[in-house]
Amino acid sequence: AVAGVSGLAPLSPRLHRHGRRSVALRSGVELEGLSSEGDALEADAEFLAGAIQSYLDQEWCVQDCHVAIGQAVGAGYIEARTSKQLDDLTSVMMYLGEVMEKTDMGDAFVGPWDVANACSDLLMARMGRETCDCADAVSIVDGGDAGDGAAVGEGGGGGGGAGQ
């Protein structure tokens, strides 16, 4: 293992063809409860699109570019989960950041990686996972109660989402 890296992600031993053990890194946060297909995937994408638009509108001011940003996030999320087959939060967030870099952000007061990070926070809340107090998107969209309103909705098997 590389010095200082072992504390960052869970490690699982794997046998080499010579019988020696090697270490494989696994994702820290898998998208548990969020589907990668069908109506549930569409519901999660719609949640993200609506939540991002709502967050930007509430944090700054209502702007047409927020609708386009939300739509790009929703489409990027579907692509990440289907054609890219990404199943962990970090990979999805990185992909959404790349998508947002290619998206016309218009007059938005945020950048592509601000949006990608907000998506990460919203997905954590949607899975019912704990988010930090600094997760502005979750607290603004959800009124500060990430556990109820942003829980996994139709997309994963819980209550209604903040964008629904």
Side-chain angles (χ1 to χ4, degrees):
V2 177
V5 174
S6 62
L8 298 177
L11 302 175
S12 67
R14 192 183 301 173
L15 290 178
H16 264 304
R17 60 185 165 101
H18 300 294
R20 287 183 277 153
R21 289 182 175 267
S22 68
V23 175
L25 293 177
R26 295 185 327 177
S27 167
V29 179
E30 292 185 24
L31 297 175
E32 297 172 6
L34 301 180
S35 181
S36 61
E37 57 189 30
D39 291 342
L41 173 64
E42 291 286 335
D44 291 334
E46 288 175 17
F47 161 78
L48 261 186
I52 286 295
Q53 178 187 345
S54 178
Y55 159 61
L56 294 173
D57 285 349
Q58 291 179 45
E59 179 70 7
W60 302 100
C61 63
V62 176
Q63 293 182 310
D64 291 338
C65 63
H66 296 165
V67 175
I69 291 168
Q71 290 171 345
V73 161
Y77 180 75
I78 289 174
E79 187 173 293
R81 300 288 280 144
T82 57
S83 64
K84 301 295 180 185
Q85 298 181 354
L86 302 176
D87 64 355
D88 68 276
L89 186 63
T90 301
S91 297
V92 169
M93 182 192 70
M94 296 298 290
Y95 185 76
L96 289 175
E98 292 170 8
V99 166
M100 296 314 301
E101 283 184 329
K102 298 173 189 170
T103 300
D104 180 5
M105 302 285 286
D107 292 329
F109 296 105
V110 295
W113 292 99
D114 299 316
V115 173
N117 282 320
C119 288
S120 175
D121 293 336
L122 289 164
L123 288 170
M124 285 287 287
R126 188 147 170 96
M127 291 185 297
R129 303 283 295 265
E130 184 177 344
T131 60
C132 70
D133 290 340
C134 65
D136 291 340
V138 174
S139 62
I140 289 173
V141 170
D142 196 39
D145 187 8
D148 289 338
V152 178
E154 296 171 19
Q164 297 174 1

